[in-house]
């Protein structure tokens, strides 16, 4: 499935999963927009993609700010001519038991994961509808869109919420050619997960090795981490799907940790 001449904006694309999604979409022919809070890293990724023969630009975006989201999407449209694919991926993790979970941390988590998904969707839909070409919206969910884990109240709440948002976008956008789906990875070794391992070890009173083996990968079929490539390939598949049959779904990529 070719993404030639499509414009794909990926949030949180300066690192980890988002970065690999952007690289894969560019390899498949899309013009990609590396949208991230960290502009220096976003520019590095965009330059790398261009050096490899792809098409990419970097834009500064804080997904919790309506102003910077609207500005980043407007810049995308004015520089690249439109927006066909949105990958709402930016995210962070804060782990703590509910009784110790700071309200400020809860609000920050929901702002990045849910406000960010809403604001980028709202901004992108405006142009997808106006173009009459439709588009694809892909949310970066998680196995935690379906399962719960200790210490992750805000994350699990937010990731479950993305399923609801995707279903509404699928219904509202369907008649106008916009599909919406959620990709739900298991644990992927990125900076977000590397930071959590010592934090979880401390909170659960176990070794870091035990966090990986007995918490993160315990329920997978083969004790393996999901890779950034696994996730990016799934995103590219959903982005390029050629009919509106595949919409309102979640696709779990987790070595069988969660089976639906
Ligand atoms: P990461 O830390 O490697 O990258 C996250 C990126 O998001 C960074 O470049 C960061 O600068 C950017 N970002 C953070 N806050 C932002 C904001 N307000 N506005 C714009 N950009 C912002 O993390 P990752 O592991 O690649 O995670 C990406 C997404 O994948 C997240 O939504 C995460 O919840 C989800 N996810 C990750 C895993 C995993 O195991 N790593 C599993 C399932 C889902």
């Amino acid at each position: 499935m070719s993404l030639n001449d499509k414009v794909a904006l990926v949030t949180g694309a300066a690192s980890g999963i988002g970065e690999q999604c952007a690289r894969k979409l560019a390899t498949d022919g899309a013009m990609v927009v590396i949208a991230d809070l960290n502009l220096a890293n976003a520019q590095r990724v965009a330059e790398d993609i261009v050096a490899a023969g792809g098409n990419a630009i970097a834009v500064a975006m804080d997904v919790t700010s309506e102003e910077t989201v609207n500005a980043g999407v407007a810049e995308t449209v004015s520089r690249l001519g439109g927006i066909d694919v949105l990958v709402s991926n930016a995210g962070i993790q804060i782990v703590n038991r509910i009784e110790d979970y700071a309200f400020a941390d809860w609000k920050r988590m929901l702002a990045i994961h849910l406000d960010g998904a809403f604001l980028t969707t709202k901004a992108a839909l405006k142009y997808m509808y106006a173009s009459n070409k439709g588009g694809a919206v892909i949310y970066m969910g998680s196995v935690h869109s379906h399962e719960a884990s200790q210490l992750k109240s805000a994350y699990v709440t937010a990731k479950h919420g993305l399923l609801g948002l995707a279903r509404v976008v699928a219904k509202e956008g369907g008649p106008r050619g916009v599909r919406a789906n959620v990709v739900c990875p298991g644990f992927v070794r990125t900076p977000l997960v590397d930071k959590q391992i010592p934090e979880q070890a401390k909170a659960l009173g176990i070794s870091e090795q035990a966090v990986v083996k007995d918490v993160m990968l315990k329920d997978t079929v083969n004790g393996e981490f999901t890779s950034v490539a696994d996730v990016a390939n799934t995103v590219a598949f959903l982005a390029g799907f050629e009919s509106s049959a595949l919409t309102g779904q979640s696709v779990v990529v987790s070595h069988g940790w969660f089976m639906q």
Side-chain angles (χ1 to χ4, degrees), residues 25-111:
L25 293 170
T27 302
D28 287 0
M31 295 180 269
V32 295
V33 183
I34 314 297
D36 206 286
L37 204 51
N38 187 330
L39 184 59
N41 281 353
Q43 277 163 339
R44 179 187 54 76
V45 173
E47 281 163 17
D48 235 49
I49 291 173
V50 171
N55 240 311
I57 62 170
V59 303
M61 184 183 287
D62 175 354
V63 297
T64 69
S65 149
E66 185 169 20
E67 201 185 334
T68 71
V69 167
N70 288 346
V73 173
E75 183 183 340
T76 297
V77 173
S78 88
R79 289 176 68 184
L80 302 179
I83 177 165
D84 305 287
V85 177
L86 167 67
V87 183
S88 170
N89 162 82
I92 62 164
Q93 178 61 281
I94 302 173
V95 293
N96 225 330
R97 294 199 177 279
I98 291 174
E99 63 270 30
D100 300 321
Y101 215 100
F103 187 35
D105 287 345
W106 167 270
K107 285 195 276 199
R108 187 158 160 249
M109 284 290 287
L110 296 197

Side-chain angles (χ1 to χ4, degrees), residues 14-214:
S15 171
I17 291 173
E19 175 177 346
Q20 191 59 35
C21 289
R23 289 180 187 275
K24 169 67 179 159
L25 293 170
T27 302
D28 287 0
M31 295 180 269
V32 295
V33 183
I34 314 297
D36 206 286
L37 204 51
N38 187 330
L39 184 59
N41 281 353
Q43 277 163 339
R44 179 187 54 76
V45 173
E47 281 163 17
D48 235 49
I49 291 173
V50 171
N55 240 311
I57 62 170
V59 303
M61 184 183 287
D62 175 354
V63 297
T64 69
S65 149
E66 185 169 20
E67 201 185 334
T68 71
V69 167
N70 288 346
V73 173
E75 183 183 340
T76 297
V77 173
S78 88
R79 289 176 68 184
L80 302 179
I83 177 165
D84 305 287
V85 177
L86 167 67
V87 183
S88 170
N89 162 82
I92 62 164
Q93 178 61 281
I94 302 173
V95 293
N96 225 330
R97 294 199 177 279
I98 291 174
E99 63 270 30
D100 300 321
Y101 215 100
F103 187 35
D105 287 345
W106 167 270
K107 285 195 276 199
R108 187 158 160 249
M109 284 290 287
L110 296 197
I112 294 174
H113 291 274
L114 289 180
D115 296 359
F118 167 75
L119 290 172
T120 50
T121 301
K122 184 175 175 188
L125 282 181
K126 179 175 142 192
Y127 296 102
M128 288 177 181
Y129 289 164
S131 74
N132 281 323
K133 288 191 302 173
V137 179
I138 297 155
Y139 298 102
M140 196 52 65
S142 164
V143 163
H144 286 110
S145 297
H146 297 278
E147 284 276 356
S149 290
Q150 295 186 66
L151 310 175
K152 296 191 174 172
S153 52
Y155 191 79
V156 169
T157 302
K159 292 299 189 189
H160 274 64
L162 291 177
L163 297 179
L165 178 61
R167 290 170 184 148
V168 174
V169 175
K171 289 208 171 187
E172 290 187 5
R176 294 193 253 190
V178 174
R179 296 178 297 108
N181 293 289
V182 187
V183 174
C184 299
F187 281 100
V188 182
R189 270 323 267 267
T190 66
L192 179 140
V193 163
D194 286 338
K195 177 174 165 283
Q196 266 178 75
I197 295 172
E199 290 173 357
Q200 288 213 37
K202 192 168 167 227
L204 298 171
I206 58 178
S207 70
E208 292 188 17
Q209 218 177 13
V211 169
V212 171
K213 192 164 169 286
D214 303 330

